Amino acid sequence: MILLDTRELDHPVPLEMAVDAFKNLKSGEVIHMIHRREPTPLFEIIAKNGGKYLSYAESENVWHIYITRDGDLEVYRV
């Protein structure tokens, strides 16, 4: 699992980091991104490029986003 904790970073750094990680993501790997908000533009990029994502809010300012190319993300559902 690739962990990207971007809560302290300003836009567009979290988006750029996630897109770069997704480009290099191998089959079966998962990115776990922690962000202070739900990154909707990232979801559009992931879906457009054949990836899958799952997100949920732990609290008002803590979002967990899981991204894969082909894996089952249901195991990460809270």
Side-chain angles (χ1 to χ4, degrees):
M1 181 173 300
I2 299 165
L3 178 62
L4 297 177
D5 187 347
T6 63
R7 289 176 284 182
E8 302 297 324
L9 303 174
D10 292 325
H11 177 76
V13 175
L15 177 65
E16 292 170 346
M17 289 175 64
V19 170
D20 285 345
F22 181 71
K23 286 179 183 175
N24 296 312
L25 196 63
K26 296 180 178 106
S27 179
E29 287 184 322
V30 176
I31 299 168
H32 177 194
M33 182 180 193
I34 305 171
H35 202 306
R36 62 178 176 266
R37 65 182 187 92
E38 189 171 36
T40 306
L42 174 63
F43 299 158
E44 294 171 9
I45 293 169
I46 298 301
K48 182 178 176 182
N49 289 284
K52 300 176 183 175
Y53 63 88
L54 172 70
S55 70
Y56 71 90
E58 177 183 320
S59 63
E60 185 177 337
N61 295 319
V62 179
W63 283 83
H64 294 271
I65 300 103
Y66 296 92
I67 302 167
T68 185
R69 288 194 177 278
D70 53 11
D72 181 10
L73 293 174
E74 289 301 315
V75 295
Y76 299 103
R77 186 173 295 278
V78 174

